[in-house]
């Protein structure tokens, strides 16, 4: 039996590109999914597509994301960022795509300990379980530090050829990018407006005054 398909969450950032690259090296057929929301800058994925050589799906999470922000089950970060709930939403959507294309597992570029809220050892299995993807989410950059997943146990990917990165530093990723000739990827800084203190204050004020706000109001917040 040949290698199965996988669906990968690809933001356009360094980590998610490298995660796909590592799994593709092992002969797995990968379909990329790029999520964007009213709070994320839409990345130009053309060069990422060319580098990885995989098909992509673009998915906009609008009203669904707003509903998550209004009532996050796992709370907010330092701003108005419901990172855990946001990630669960994306994983749920990835699961729908996975089942639709006959794929067997999901790939993410998450790195253990890189983000304080959503990239913790105890949070990964919680998010996977909530999304209905228990043990079906492979995190290639930190896989050897985490419990084995189904793709590893089934032999679809070799655990020993995955990485053991943890923490906020990116020296290992940058060295790997240079080695494989990866030069085009989005910056890890900035990104989500929900982590911005000024925008977060505006959003909190809007929620207090108009709990039933929607996409139109969010767009207006961006201009003052």
């Amino acid at each position: 039996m040949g290698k199965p398909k996988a669906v990968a969450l690809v933001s356009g950032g360094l980590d998610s590109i490298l995660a796909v690259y590592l799994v593709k090296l092992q002969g797995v057929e990968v379909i990329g999914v790029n999520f964007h929301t009213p709070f994320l800058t839409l990345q130009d994925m053309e060069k990422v597509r060319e580098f990885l050589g995989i098909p992509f799906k673009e998915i906009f999470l609008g009203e669904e994301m707003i509903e998550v922000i209004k009532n996050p089950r796992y709370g907010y970060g330092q701003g108005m960022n419901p990172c855990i709930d946001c990630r669960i939403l994306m994983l749920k959507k990835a699961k729908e795509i996975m089942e639709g294309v006959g794929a067997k597992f999901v790939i993410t570029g998450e790195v253990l300990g890189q983000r304080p809220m959503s990239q913790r050892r105890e949070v990964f299995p919680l998010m996977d379980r909530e999304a209905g993807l228990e043990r079906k989410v492979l995190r290639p950059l930190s896989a050897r530090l985490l419990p084995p997943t189904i793709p590893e146990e089934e032999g679809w990917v070799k655990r020993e050829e995955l990485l053991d990165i943890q923490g906020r530093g990116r020296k290992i990723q940058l060295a790997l990018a240079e080695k494989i000739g990866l030069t085009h990827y989005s910056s890890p800084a900035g990104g989500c407006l929900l982590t911005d203190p000024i925008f977060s204050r505006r959003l909190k004020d809007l929620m207090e005054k108009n709990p039933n706000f929607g996409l139109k109001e969010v767009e207006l917040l961006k201009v003052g």
Side-chain angles (χ1 to χ4, degrees):
M1 182 179 174
K3 295 275 187 177
K5 290 181 186 177
V7 168
L9 277 61
V10 185
S11 65
L14 177 59
D15 293 338
S16 61
I17 298 171
L18 291 177
V20 174
Y21 179 85
L22 289 169
V23 176
K24 269 199 73 185
L25 271 184
Q26 299 199 34
V28 176
E29 181 183 347
V30 182
I31 297 164
V33 182
N34 180 231
F35 291 107
H36 55 106
T37 78
F39 312 98
L40 282 174
T41 303
L42 182 59
Q43 301 293 334
D44 180 6
M45 300 295 290
E46 194 57 41
K47 284 189 167 58
V48 175
R49 283 194 192 95
E50 289 174 12
F51 179 83
L52 291 174
I54 62 173
F56 265 87
K57 294 180 181 289
E58 300 274 355
I59 296 183
F60 177 65
L61 300 174
E63 294 293 349
E64 291 165 296
M65 187 62 201
I66 288 174
E67 289 307 310
V68 164
I69 289 165
K70 288 177 180 177
N71 188 29
R73 182 174 178 184
Y74 295 101
Y76 302 102
Q78 290 186 342
M80 292 296 290
N81 48 311
C83 295
I84 295 175
D85 294 86
C86 175
R87 202 65 178 176
I88 291 169
L89 174 61
M90 290 182 180
L91 287 172
K92 283 180 177 178
K93 292 294 180 182
K95 179 176 183 279
E96 291 175 10
I97 296 167
M98 181 188 84
E99 293 171 344
V101 300
K104 296 292 188 183
F105 63 101
V106 170
I107 302 161
T108 83
E110 291 164 306
V111 172
L112 180 63
Q114 190 179 88
R115 297 187 186 278
M117 188 172 184
S118 63
Q119 296 188 13
R120 292 179 285 135
R121 187 180 301 275
E122 66 273 22
V123 172
F124 287 154
L126 180 151
M127 296 190 299
D128 301 348
R129 189 168 58 249
E130 288 283 334
L133 286 167
E134 191 167 10
R135 302 186 66 240
K136 290 183 180 179
V137 180
L138 181 68
R139 297 173 170 90
L141 300 187
S142 295
R144 283 171 26 214
L145 298 172
L146 301 170
T149 58
I150 290 172
E152 295 162 271
E153 291 181 346
E154 291 292 332
W156 302 333
V157 294
K158 294 177 182 176
R159 183 176 174 86
E160 62 270 19
E161 293 180 14
L162 303 175
L163 303 182
D164 56 357
I165 303 173
Q166 63 179 324
R168 298 176 69 87
R170 281 187 162 84
K171 286 184 180 178
I172 297 172
Q173 293 97 309
L174 289 169
L176 179 55
E178 185 176 358
K179 180 180 177 181
I180 65 178
L182 171 60
T183 57
H184 186 88
Y185 49 85
S186 60
S187 167
C192 183
L193 277 173
L194 296 170
T195 62
D196 179 81
I198 296 172
F199 185 84
S200 292
R201 284 198 297 270
R202 291 178 183 172
L203 180 57
K204 190 173 182 180
D205 185 61
L206 173 64
M207 288 176 66
E208 290 171 357
K209 291 180 170 61
N210 179 12
N212 297 316
F213 71 93
L215 283 171
K216 180 181 176 182
E217 288 81 5
V218 167
E219 290 304 315
L220 288 172
L221 282 188
K222 295 177 185 179
V223 295

